[in-house]
Amino acid sequence: MATWWCGQAKELTYVLAHLDKLVVKKADRNSQFKRVYGRLLTKEQLEQLRQEIIAAPYDFIAHEEVGFSTAPALDGQILHPRMSAIRCYSVASEKGYQVMPGGLT
């Protein structure tokens, strides 16, 4: 997914112009700041977030919001659709890239 670090002028300008369509997080994963979905914020909340980002742009990243696939999950005796993502890993070698067996779901 496309990701922008707000510590760079061009990326900061893009994020501020599209704040209502992006997901915003702190660059430091240990931060207590929870991810924010711009589409869910009021105009006042968007403006508050905008000011927080402007005050310390290097502290924030934003990425496009993507939808996840769903897979059936058994809950007792009932199947429900649940979000699902699969991540595959590859390693570089002298001959190119090789996909590792397995994955993370």
Side-chain angles (χ1 to χ4, degrees):
M1 75 184 76
T3 304
W4 298 269
W5 175 55
C6 297
Q8 297 170 294
K10 182 179 175 185
E11 288 75 7
L12 173 61
T13 300
Y14 180 86
V15 168
L16 294 177
H18 299 90
L19 204 50
D20 62 331
K21 297 173 183 65
L22 298 172
V23 179
V24 177
K25 302 177 189 177
K26 283 280 191 136
D28 175 11
R29 298 191 92 163
N30 294 325
S31 169
Q32 297 299 316
F33 184 90
K34 301 293 183 196
R35 78 185 71 196
V36 175
Y37 292 81
R39 66 178 169 80
L40 299 177
L41 300 179
T42 65
K43 287 182 182 180
E44 293 79 18
Q45 291 169 324
L46 279 169
E47 184 56 32
Q48 181 181 352
L49 180 58
R50 180 182 319 280
Q51 293 308 316
E52 286 182 51
I53 293 171
I54 289 170
Y58 43 83
D59 281 344
F60 292 90
I61 62 167
H63 64 78
E64 63 185 349
E65 186 173 350
V66 295
F68 289 99
S69 300
T70 61
L74 187 61
D75 181 12
Q77 304 244 342
I78 301 170
L79 283 176
H80 294 283
R82 297 284 190 244
M83 287 195 288
S84 173
I86 299 174
R87 295 181 186 208
C88 299
Y89 297 92
S90 61
V91 292
S93 70
E94 292 176 3
K95 297 179 182 178
Y97 288 91
Q98 179 177 354
V99 176
M100 307 270 304
L104 176 67
T105 58

